Amino acid sequence: GDSVTQMEGPVTLSEEAFLTINCTYTATGYPSLFWYVQYPGEGLQLLLKATKADDKGSNKGFEATYRKETTSFHLEKGSVQVSDSAVYFCALSDRNSGGSNYKLTFGKGTLLTVNP
Amino acid sequence: EAGVAQSPRYKIIEKRQSVAFWCNPISGHATLYWYQQILGQGPKLLIQFQNNGVVDDSQLPKDRFSAERLKGVDSTLKIQPAKLEDSAVYLCASSRTPLSGNTIYFGEGSWLTVV
């Protein structure tokens, strides 16, 4: 079945440091890939997405490139801020058991803490 | 545009009691999802509706969980009887269509503690 593997957290960085959160996936079809973010006490929010190979999703300074050859979708940001502290989830969208609809499969999440 | 609304936000119940969660998706969204997020894990799909029909409930523990979306808009998720391992955040989400690449929008979640 489909699965998503993220790097283990927690990740602790100083402000303005470079961030990478690794994500690899296994899927039977040709999935779309997503990064969701969950700020403390809030629901999941879409951060960025990519729907085909070599697409780069970007938002709020975060980027991730859909790499089909390595089945990866690593999240990067050049300079993190304290306000980026949150849990980050990698996810893929692939056909569900019924075959006609798509569902999201999530990784376990990576907690990021950015210190001033 | 209003987001996905869920209630209650927090609930504490004793094991073997019952609980119900309500969700109102974004207006016009035909697809509705219920996810379970246990602490330290990623969300897991429990059930997916397309309008008022179920398209995937393969991971729903049907001996204790039930869900409905009678008029194709609001949805209710019920747990009866609750077990300790049901302690989790129950996330409702919706999307305009169930197509790949379509953005799925999540509510803030209903936090359940079973004691």
Side-chain angles (χ1 to χ4, degrees):
Chain A
D2 298 341
S3 66
V4 176
T5 303
Q6 291 181 234
M7 64 185 287
E8 294 281 331
V11 174
T12 303
L13 296 173
S14 297
E15 208 165 22
E16 299 183 2
F18 184 85
L19 169 70
T20 299
I21 300 178
N22 290 337
C23 171
T24 58
Y25 68 89
T26 302
T28 53
Y30 197 155
S32 295
L33 302 174
F34 304 81
W35 277 100
Y36 277 82
V37 59
Q38 190 171 36
Y39 298 103
E42 299 184 15
L44 286 165
Q45 302 174 25
L46 178 66
L47 180 60
L48 53 84
K49 69 179 183 182
T51 58
K52 61 182 186 294
D54 300 325
D55 267 3
K56 178 184 286 188
S58 61
N59 186 24
K60 300 181 181 180
F62 291 89
E63 293 183 339
T65 301
Y66 189 142
R67 300 289 187 198
K68 192 169 186 293
E69 63 274 16
T70 55
T71 61
S72 65
F73 194 55
H74 304 322
L75 182 68
E76 296 182 336
K77 186 174 186 182
S79 176
V80 293
Q81 305 300 312
V82 172
S83 56
D84 294 326
S85 297
V87 181
Y88 292 82
F89 292 92
C90 185
L92 67 83
S93 173
D94 203 355
R95 291 186 185 274
N96 64 15
S97 58
S100 59
N101 293 285
Y102 290 84
K103 65 173 183 178
L104 280 175
T105 299
F106 287 88
K108 291 187 176 181
T110 302
L111 173 63
L112 169 66
T113 302
V114 180
N115 295 318
Chain B
E1 181 180 60
V4 177
Q6 292 188 243
S7 68
R9 286 295 313 277
Y10 305 95
K11 192 76 176 178
I12 301 174
I13 61 172
E14 295 183 350
K15 58 184 179 183
R16 291 186 291 275
Q17 286 188 324
S18 63
V19 63
F21 300 114
W22 173 83
C23 172
N24 185 24
I26 293 173
S27 178
H29 281 196
T31 309
L32 186 146
Y33 311 80
W34 283 102
Y35 281 83
Q36 179 192 56
Q37 185 180 10
I38 293 173
L39 186 65
Q41 298 183 20
K44 180 186 80 172
L45 179 69
L46 292 176
I47 189 166
Q48 178 182 347
F49 293 93
Q50 180 64 18
N51 296 309
N52 60 350
V54 175
V55 296
D56 187 350
D57 62 357
S58 56
Q59 297 194 86
L60 186 74
K62 298 181 185 66
D63 57 334
R64 298 182 301 105
F65 285 65
S66 64
E68 60 184 14
R69 193 184 184 199
L70 292 177
K71 296 182 179 179
V73 181
D74 294 5
S75 177
T76 302
L77 175 71
K78 296 180 181 178
I79 307 173
Q80 183 179 14
K83 292 185 175 181
L84 296 177
E85 59 260 37
D86 298 333
S87 295
V89 181
Y90 291 87
L91 297 167
C92 181
S94 71
S95 64
R96 192 167 297 279
T97 71
L99 298 179
S100 179
N102 216 24
T103 298
I104 297 177
Y105 297 89
F106 285 81
E108 293 184 326
S110 292
W111 297 65
L112 173 65
T113 301
V114 182
V115 297

